[in-house]
Amino acid sequence: MNRTKDSSTSLRIAIQKSGRLTDKTIALLEGIGIEFDNYKRNLIVKTRNFDVELLLLRDDDIPEYVQDGVCDLGFVGANETQETGADVTPIRDLGYGKCRLSLAAPKNGDIKKPEDFDGKKVATSYPNLTRTFFKERDIDIQVIEISGAVEIAPQLEVADAIVDLVSSGGTLRANGLVELDTILESQTQLIRTNKELSPGKKELIDRFLVRMDGYQQAAQSRYIMMNASTSAVENIKRIIPSMKSPTVMPLAEDNMVAIHTVIPLQKFWTVMEELKEAGASDIVMLPIESMIL
Ligand code: AMP
């Protein structure tokens, strides 16, 4: 297999240059062993140990760069992909940058439900998703397109209500707005171009995904170790939601064993209580860096 750098087979990956998704995306790329410098200063960043270069872009430009095949992959919120209607394929949900595109209106006003938007001015940075939502419900609105600080539009009397991204809802509340309905639930996704790719690029994408899947699975799992008497092993095995059969090793002390296994993180605390009751002691939990199954 030829793994030397060659621009015709190098993968190009688009990521957000600076914003909410940048740090987590950079951490993910570093976590799967991709080494690079100076991503803050350069728009194109070469990596040292994988045939990939990173393009640092505004996040609303990413779906179209991937659609046009300028980039093969992109890390971007589903909100941007859906707003642009780009012809790309989301291939992984990444679980960060979670938010929702919501309708909101002044708390003490007369807009209480989507139907009350009829005939109103709605400020948003998402004109396409907003128009589609209201059109599907036969509600006639006037879209006021604004690129930032949408939540102050009603106070400035630029609009009667808004459609904007919400995560905790704190910004809406601080601006006297109440959330009325959700157009879209969003999170960061890995998107792939639908343009035909060379066999070399396809192979690189497969290798990239193996690493990413291993990293994500590891982040959601923990390695646990415990000691128990041999007579407790069968009960303990029944409790552990293990990936495979746990490792059981004899200890220096007679009739005692060490049991090692990997479990889903969200099960750890409930399982730990049951394990103690079943006779496990000295339970240790460790993070896992990556898992290739
Ligand atoms: P930004 O860096 O503010 O342009 O946000 C980039 C992306 O972060 C958005 O396109 C969304 O996918 C995601 N995001 C998550 N929570 C929020 C939020 N409360 N407001 C705006 N964007 C959010």
Side-chain angles (χ1 to χ4, degrees):
M1 198 180 325
N2 178 11
R3 289 192 175 165
T4 53
K5 285 203 187 233
D6 162 0
S7 61
S8 64
T9 58
S10 271
L11 267 192
R12 272 230 188 113
I13 304 183
I15 67 172
Q16 189 188 22
K17 177 156 178 57
S18 64
R20 287 172 208 256
L21 310 183
T22 309
D23 287 353
K24 287 208 166 130
T25 306
I26 293 287
L28 196 160
L29 292 168
E30 288 175 343
I32 63 172
I34 295 180
E35 294 175 6
F36 50 91
D37 307 309
N38 288 336
Y39 73 89
K40 291 199 169 133
R41 271 193 277 137
N42 299 321
L43 295 180
I44 300 186
V45 175
K46 305 266 179 212
T47 62
R48 284 193 287 275
N49 57 346
F50 201 89
D51 297 345
V52 60
E53 58 187 24
L54 306 176
L55 241 71
L56 287 110
L57 303 171
R58 279 174 53 109
D59 71 331
D60 43 357
D61 290 335
I62 292 176
E64 275 154 353
Y65 272 79
V66 175
Q67 166 184 274
D68 296 345
V70 178
C71 296
D72 308 298
L73 299 174
F75 287 82
V76 68
N79 52 304
E80 296 298 348
T81 306
Q82 298 213 17
E83 173 64 18
T84 54
D87 180 17
V88 297
T89 305
I91 52 175
R92 293 289 184 279
D93 286 335
L94 301 174
Y96 61 92
K98 284 191 175 171
C99 56
R100 53 196 184 274
L101 186 66
S102 290
L103 317 186
K107 198 172 160 207
N108 301 317
D110 54 359
I111 303 178
K112 305 286 180 209
K113 52 186 188 307
E115 293 69 34
D116 300 337
F117 280 65
D118 204 36
K120 305 286 190 206
K121 288 185 189 167
V122 182
T124 186
S125 312
Y126 293 86
N128 297 328
L129 289 170
T130 301
R131 281 199 190 97
T132 305
F133 176 87
F134 285 106
K135 205 166 174 197
E136 281 171 0
R137 288 159 184 77
D138 264 334
I139 299 167
D140 192 27
I141 55 148
Q142 184 188 344
V143 168
I144 310 289
E145 195 173 338
I146 296 184
S147 58
V150 170
E151 62 282 355
I152 60 166
Q155 288 170 59
L156 300 178
E157 297 183 7
V158 171
D160 303 298
I162 66 165
V163 167
D164 202 9
L165 292 178
V166 183
S167 37
S168 70
T171 310
L172 289 186
R173 276 193 297 280
N175 286 283
L177 299 168
V178 18
E179 202 174 338
L180 300 173
D181 206 346
T182 301
I183 295 186
L184 172 81
E185 297 280 353
S186 180
Q187 62 176 293
T188 312
Q189 295 180 318
L190 181 65
I191 56 171
R192 181 191 196 278
T193 187
N194 288 337
K195 297 265 184 229
E196 182 59 27
L197 295 174
S198 66
K201 281 200 179 185
K202 283 186 190 154
E203 192 226 310
L204 275 175
I205 291 180
D206 288 344
R207 284 173 50 211
F208 185 80
L209 291 179
V210 167
R211 289 190 188 199
M212 260 193 48
D213 292 346
Y215 178 81
Q216 287 205 293
Q217 187 143 21
Q220 290 154 15
S221 305
R222 290 295 179 268
Y223 191 87
I224 58 167
M225 309 189 279
M226 71 206 86
N227 296 336
S229 66
T230 42
S231 60
V233 170
E234 280 314 307
N235 269 343
I236 288 176
K237 272 166 68 174
R238 267 195 288 276
I239 295 165
I240 297 173
S242 167
M243 284 168 27
K244 294 203 176 110
S245 179
T247 306
V248 180
M249 292 168 287
L251 291 178
E253 193 179 331
D254 278 351
N255 299 321
M256 287 295 289
V257 290
I259 303 170
H260 290 199
T261 193
V262 172
I263 65 164
L265 174 60
Q266 84 271 24
K267 298 239 167 86
F268 176 73
W269 293 107
T270 40
V271 165
M272 192 205 58
E273 282 160 18
E274 288 177 46
L275 290 173
K276 281 191 80 176
E277 272 167 36
S281 62
D282 311 310
I283 304 171
V284 174
M285 171 178 81
L286 298 171
I288 303 170
E289 218 156 89
S290 193
M291 274 163 59
I292 310 300
L293 301 179

